[in-house]
Amino acid sequence: MYQKLAAFFMTGTGNSYRIADWSARIAEEHAIPAEVQQIKSGEESKPVGQGTLAVFTYPTHGFTAPWLIMKYVWKLPQGRQAHALVMPCRAGVRVKGLFIPGLEGTAGYLIALLLWLRGYTVRGVMGVDMPSNWTAVHWGMNEENAAVITKLAEAKVASLVATVLQGKRHFDGLIQCLLGLVLVKISLMYLILAQLILAKLFFATDRCTGCSLCQKLCPKQAIRMCGGREKRPYWTYACDSCMACMNFCPHKAIEVSPLIIMLFVYITSIPAAGYLSGWLLASRAVDLASLPLAGFGLQYVYVLLAAAVTYRLLHLVLGIRAVRKLLGTLSHTRFFRRYQAAGVTLKQIHIR
């Protein structure tokens, strides 16, 4: 039924790459040529011809799909009924033998909808549990737990890809999608605001050598090396919190500090729109309370500016070795095991 399989993946630590690679291998077992292509910032969306099964796999962020994959799919040339398969990667966890599946929410069917609007025929949607890599919050999965989760995922992907290659359809995760619709406010707040703040929580400790590997491997090109003689990574708002920098740093120098989290919680929680509304009302100008969208817009701008200025000042202060050492010592993430998908190399997923 197909002359080719093209697997497109967005990844931070290799989970989505594994899914794309498995898909390609299953196609080759069916005597169908396959290729794997990474989705990165700055790259044009590539056309998918008829007779090709396009596989899209990517992480779930905030119970929905990341901005990068949404933009990439929306910019795809018209599919003209080309076929597509959607497999969002969700965070699976296994502790003491207990497996807890992730929640992809609207991540799968949102991309399926965008593909349909671009003229593609979606043949399947399914969330795939891979080891959770959010090491800013929890320790990385140990080798045994990661292997168990990965083995289950590989079998699931192999079954779905084989089913679609045989001309059948398979749609999974409808209940997950309904839960995602219930959580849509959280997803929107994550995409609009929380993701931007998460980008500002990373910092490089005194162990950083300025090797710039984090800058080279970032799929969003969201890291700049800034500073004088000793350059250190600076995270921009383009950061997707894919965790590549933190988990692949050879010196384990990238951390997240509770002190920085508390600082940003305090700064961003200041009701700037409320203060301005009170001032305008007192001056008999306008009451922003009667203009909710204007109030939200003002608060949004304030949060972005406050976070940007605060992080810039923090980056300057982190130029002092004693400050870096203090924050590094107080960081909870320095005790965490890092996570990298087994069998995946940097050359395969990041280095340009």
Side-chain angles (χ1 to χ4, degrees):
M1 183 174 180
Y2 298 105
Q3 286 77 52
K4 180 181 177 183
L5 181 143
F8 299 89
F9 71 95
M10 171 192 170
T11 196
T13 56
N15 282 339
S16 298
Y17 169 78
R18 294 295 303 273
I19 296 173
D21 187 54
W22 293 333
S23 301
R25 291 183 185 182
I26 295 300
E28 290 169 352
E29 289 176 6
H30 286 73
I32 298 173
E35 66 177 16
V36 175
Q37 174 69 43
Q38 185 174 6
I39 297 173
K40 298 179 180 179
S41 289
E43 295 187 356
E44 294 185 2
S45 301
K46 296 187 176 181
V48 178
Q50 291 189 5
T52 298
L53 175 63
V55 176
F56 294 90
T57 179
Y58 46 89
T60 296
H61 288 173
F63 310 118
T64 193
W67 279 120
L68 179 58
I69 185 70
M70 285 193 276
K71 292 176 183 177
Y72 186 90
V73 169
W74 185 247
K75 291 181 179 179
L76 281 170
Q78 279 294 320
R80 302 184 187 281
Q81 302 305 312
H83 288 189
L85 174 60
V86 181
M87 288 187 285
C89 177
R90 62 194 190 193
V93 177
R94 185 174 184 267
V95 181
K96 301 294 185 180
L98 176 64
F99 172 68
I100 304 173
L103 174 62
E104 79 266 23
T106 56
Y109 284 93
L110 174 58
I111 297 303
L113 174 62
L114 293 178
L115 285 166
W116 177 74
L117 292 173
R118 300 305 297 163
Y120 287 77
T121 298
V122 180
R123 304 290 294 185
V125 177
M126 181 183 73
V128 180
D129 289 296
M130 290 291 283
S132 178
N133 68 351
W134 202 6
T135 47
V137 175
H138 62 74
W139 61 92
M141 298 289 101
N142 64 32
E143 191 173 318
E144 178 188 353
N145 287 329
V148 170
I149 295 173
T150 302
K151 186 176 180 179
L152 292 172
E154 183 176 7
K156 194 174 180 181
V157 170
S159 176
L160 176 61
V161 174
T163 296
V164 175
L165 289 177
Q166 292 167 8
K168 302 175 184 177
R169 294 182 173 88
H170 181 85
F171 292 90
D172 197 3
L174 290 174
I175 294 178
Q176 291 257 357
C177 185
L178 290 175
L179 290 173
L181 291 174
V182 173
L183 299 170
V184 69
K185 289 185 178 180
I186 295 177
S187 297
L188 286 173
M189 289 306 299
Y190 180 91
L191 292 174
I192 294 173
L193 198 59
Q195 176 181 310
L196 303 178
I197 302 304
L198 289 174
K200 299 300 186 184
L201 299 183
F202 298 107
F203 74 98
T205 68
D206 198 44
R207 294 190 296 273
C208 177
T209 63
C211 70
S212 75
L213 176 64
C214 54
Q215 180 186 37
K216 295 173 184 175
L217 60 82
C218 180
K220 289 293 298 292
Q221 301 182 38
I223 299 176
R224 302 198 306 264
M225 299 302 294
C226 299
R229 295 174 58 185
E230 297 183 359
K231 294 187 179 298
R232 294 174 294 105
Y234 179 90
W235 283 262
T236 69
Y237 276 136
C239 172
D240 246 345
S241 295
C242 73
M243 307 308 301
C245 56
M246 190 173 189
N247 286 292
F248 278 103
C249 176
H251 308 290
K252 199 178 177 182
I254 297 174
E255 308 279 8
V256 171
S257 169
L259 295 179
I260 295 178
I261 294 174
M262 288 187 287
L263 173 64
F264 276 101
V265 167
Y266 173 74
I267 292 295
T268 57
S269 64
I270 294 175
Y275 289 144
L276 181 58
S277 179
W279 177 78
L280 290 173
L281 189 61
S283 62
R284 298 183 179 180
V286 63
D287 181 13
L288 286 178
S290 63
L291 301 169
L293 290 179
F296 174 81
L298 177 63
Q299 188 67 27
Y300 180 70
V301 171
Y302 160 74
V303 168
L304 294 185
L305 290 176
V309 171
T310 302
Y311 189 74
R312 172 59 72 177
L313 293 174
L314 178 63
H315 189 266
L316 292 174
V317 173
L318 283 167
I320 303 172
R321 185 176 183 181
V323 175
R324 296 199 302 271
K325 196 169 187 64
L326 175 63
L327 285 181
T329 301
L330 296 177
S331 171
H332 62 290
T333 57
R334 74 188 184 96
F335 300 105
F336 287 175
R337 182 192 301 112
R338 300 312 200 237
Y339 170 78
Q340 301 170 13
V344 176
T345 66
L346 281 176
K347 185 176 181 180
Q348 290 172 316
I349 62 173
H350 288 301
I351 302 301
R352 299 174 183 272

